[in-house]
Amino acid sequence: MSPTSPRRQRNSLEPPRSWWRQFLDFMELSTPEGRGGLALLLVLLVVCFGPLLLLALLDVSGTARKALVALGPVSICLGLAGLVLVCGYRYGDALKWSRGQTWGLAALFLGMGLLGGLGLWFSEG
């Protein structure tokens, strides 16, 4: 809540709010922007750590294990590149980033992930 917005007046007839709703209000996740940010975070967690979670849960060997090990840094850096693009396009003016800087940083993360993945692919025996 911004300091200029009026505080909500609670009606005595209104039922008490659940602890979950109070937590969402406290974390500012009850607004559409907050829910969008939470969704972005959950998607990033799944994209970034999905291959590593599969590697931990599945008992695989050979090429499948090699691929999952190599996909670890690729997926993490891919998620970070996506986050840079989203934040760069949404908040680039406030950060004083140009579109070229945003794409350059995203390409840097993607390149680091691909190089890390290739290194793990060839080192995994």
Side-chain angles (χ1 to χ4, degrees), residues 8-96:
R8 292 185 206 163
Q9 298 294 325
R10 297 216 13 130
N11 189 353
S12 62
L13 300 175
E14 188 176 318
R17 300 177 66 157
S18 68
W19 67 270
W20 180 248
R21 181 56 78 183
Q22 290 175 359
F23 175 75
L24 289 178
D25 285 342
F26 176 74
M27 297 298 291
E28 297 181 0
L29 296 174
S30 58
T31 64
E33 294 86 8
R35 285 191 296 271
L38 183 62
L40 177 65
L41 172 72
L42 293 176
V43 166
L44 278 174
L45 287 174
V46 169
V47 167
C48 290
F49 298 105
L52 297 177
L53 181 66
L54 286 174
L55 181 64
L57 295 176
L58 299 176
D59 185 25
V60 294
S61 61
T63 307
R65 175 179 168 74
K66 201 173 180 179
L68 285 175
V69 167
L71 277 176
V74 173
S75 63
I76 291 171
C77 289
L78 179 68
L80 288 174
L83 182 65
V84 163
L85 288 174
V86 168
C87 290
Y89 274 89
R90 187 171 289 176
Y91 307 112
D93 294 335
L95 296 170
K96 298 181 181 167

